[in-house]
């Protein structure tokens, strides 16, 4: 058995690993259950792994591999699916992803074949109007987004992600190609065994069910409920859970006990603790 799980917001908040998530991973490790993470980090797997180990102090033995939206996007870009040159929109820290991309990076966006968005520029990281003005004359190009998330909470601070820039581009009339959750490319790469799948929001559940309805014959409704369990047609087991965001915690929608229960649900000896 193996588990596919989200990373940011489920295992950690960008500042520290959640205590109960760490216990959950420890129990899975003791039971020889392989854990794989699915992340919308627009970075290579090796970089994300290093950050988990060195900054967040997550035990590397607790998981096998991290499927990242960055690696997924780079793979398709290197297959020349979008053109032979790109202009990069994103922070300097994402240069490590660009190092894995084999086509030409253009400093002039007007002559690039497409726009690659990994995030926001360091000096314009909270002003979407800047991107509206910057991109309004580029809607004839495609924008490739390697992090579909609109925002992320780093501790208690909400930050804009590449998905917010992509949304602006779509509002202007441009076409966006997304790599990462909830889009199919990252799932087709990492789903290949009987496993438990953990999802963390109503929208996330809905998007995965759409994926399954498109690829399998499914009857009946899948309704979101914290702790609800569904058996999927390819042998996977799906649990739904509220996202441990400050909003859900502060409003009482999710508390430590509910999060502990969903994390320990699948192992009887862990659930008894």
């Amino acid at each position: 058995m193996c588990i596919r799980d989200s990373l940011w917001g489920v295992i950690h908040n960008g500042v520290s690993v959640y205590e109960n998530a760490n216990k959950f991973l420890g129990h899975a490790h003791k039971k020889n259950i392989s854990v794989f993470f699915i992340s919308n980090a627009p970075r290579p797997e090796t970089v994300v792994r290093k950050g988990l180990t060195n900054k967040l102090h997550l035990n590397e033995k607790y998981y096998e591999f991290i499927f990242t939206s960055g690696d997924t996007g780079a793979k398709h870009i290197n297959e020349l699916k979008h053109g032979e040159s790109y202009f990069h929109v994103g922070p300097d820290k994402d240069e490590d992803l660009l190092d894995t991309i084999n086509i030409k990076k253009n400093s002039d966006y007007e002559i690039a074949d497409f726009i690659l968005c990994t995030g926001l520029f360091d000096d314009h990281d909270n002003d979407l109007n800047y991107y509206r003005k910057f991109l309004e004359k580029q809607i004839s190009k495609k924008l490739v987004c390697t992090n579909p998330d609109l925002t992320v909470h780093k501790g208690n601070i909400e930050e804009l992600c590449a998905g917010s820039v992509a949304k602006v581009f779509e509002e202007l009339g441009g076409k966006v190609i997304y790599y990462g959750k909830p889009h199919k490319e990252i799932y087709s790469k990492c789903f290949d065994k009987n496993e438990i799948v953990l999802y963390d929001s109503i929208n996330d559940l809905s998007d995965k069910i759409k994926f399954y309805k498109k690829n399998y014959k499914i009857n009946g409704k899948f309704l979101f409920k914290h702790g609800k369990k569904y058996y999927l047609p390819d042998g996977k087991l799906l649990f739904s859970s509220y996202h441990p965001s400050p909003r859900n915690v502060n409003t009482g929608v999710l508390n430590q006990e509910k999060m502990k229960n969903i994390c320990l649900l699948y192992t009887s000896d862990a659930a008894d603790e």
Side-chain angles (χ1 to χ4, degrees):
M1 179 185 291
C2 65
I3 296 173
R4 299 287 194 268
D5 194 8
S6 296
L7 193 52
W8 196 307
V10 177
I11 302 301
H12 69 82
N13 64 358
V15 176
S16 60
V17 175
Y18 296 118
E19 180 181 355
N20 286 328
N22 197 52
K23 291 180 181 178
F24 161 75
L25 293 172
H27 282 296
H29 178 64
K30 288 179 181 179
K31 287 185 157 296
N32 295 316
I33 297 174
S34 298
V35 174
F36 298 81
F37 294 129
I38 309 171
S39 171
N40 273 354
R43 320 288 295 278
E45 192 270 352
T46 52
V47 174
V48 178
R49 178 181 288 269
K50 184 177 179 180
L52 288 177
T53 303
N54 297 341
K55 295 182 180 179
L56 301 183
H57 309 296
L58 181 65
N59 191 335
E60 267 194 277
K61 294 181 180 179
Y62 284 178
Y63 63 95
E64 300 291 332
F65 192 77
I66 307 165
F67 296 94
T68 74
S69 56
D71 282 340
T72 305
K75 174 182 180 295
H76 288 269
I77 290 171
N78 286 336
E79 292 172 354
L80 302 181
K81 292 186 176 181
H82 311 298
E84 297 183 359
S85 65
Y86 67 93
F87 176 83
H88 178 229
V89 173
D92 291 342
K93 67 179 182 180
D94 291 344
E95 285 290 330
D96 46 35
L97 177 67
L98 307 188
D99 290 340
T100 70
I101 295 175
N102 301 327
I103 66 172
K104 183 179 180 181
K105 176 186 175 183
N106 264 320
S107 58
D108 185 349
Y109 60 85
E110 292 187 350
I111 61 175
D113 290 339
F114 67 95
I115 300 167
L116 170 61
C117 181
T118 64
L120 287 77
F121 292 127
D122 290 318
D123 51 353
H124 296 283
D125 60 356
N126 59 6
D127 181 11
L128 290 178
N129 285 329
Y130 168 84
Y131 296 92
R132 188 176 299 277
K133 295 176 182 178
F134 177 73
L135 295 170
E136 62 183 356
K137 295 182 180 180
Q138 302 302 317
I139 60 172
S140 60
K141 302 180 187 295
K142 288 187 293 187
L143 185 145
V144 174
C145 175
T146 57
N147 179 359
D149 290 341
L150 299 176
T151 62
V152 69
H153 283 89
K154 190 172 185 178
N156 293 322
I157 300 174
E158 186 175 35
E159 299 179 354
L160 293 171
C161 296
S164 291
V165 177
K167 183 179 179 181
V168 167
F169 194 71
E170 287 180 321
E171 291 171 350
L172 291 170
K175 181 179 179 180
V176 177
I177 307 297
Y178 291 97
Y179 292 109
K181 301 177 296 180
H183 302 276
K184 65 180 181 180
E185 287 81 8
I186 196 168
Y187 297 108
S188 60
K189 181 179 180 181
C190 69
F191 283 171
D192 57 2
K193 298 179 180 179
N194 289 339
E195 58 206 34
I196 294 173
V197 188
L198 300 177
Y199 294 129
D200 54 26
S201 73
I202 295 173
N203 289 337
D204 203 20
L205 175 66
S206 176
D207 287 322
K208 305 315 171 297
I209 295 304
K210 288 179 182 177
F211 171 81
Y212 274 93
K213 285 185 175 180
K214 183 177 180 180
N215 292 278
Y216 299 90
K217 293 182 178 180
I218 296 180
N219 296 319
K221 293 183 178 180
F222 289 75
L223 302 177
F224 178 86
K225 182 180 179 181
H226 183 79
K228 184 69 175 178
K229 178 170 60 176
Y230 292 104
Y231 293 92
L232 300 176
D234 56 351
K236 300 179 182 67
L237 182 61
L238 182 149
F239 287 97
S240 56
S241 167
Y242 283 111
H243 192 290
S245 65
R247 183 181 298 108
N248 284 340
V249 173
N250 293 338
T251 58
V253 170
L254 186 64
N255 56 36
Q256 279 192 338
E257 190 63 26
K258 288 181 179 179
M259 194 65 205
K260 178 181 178 181
N261 289 340
I262 192 69
C263 287
L264 304 182
L265 185 61
Y266 78 101
T267 53
S268 58
D269 61 338
D272 290 337
E273 292 187 6

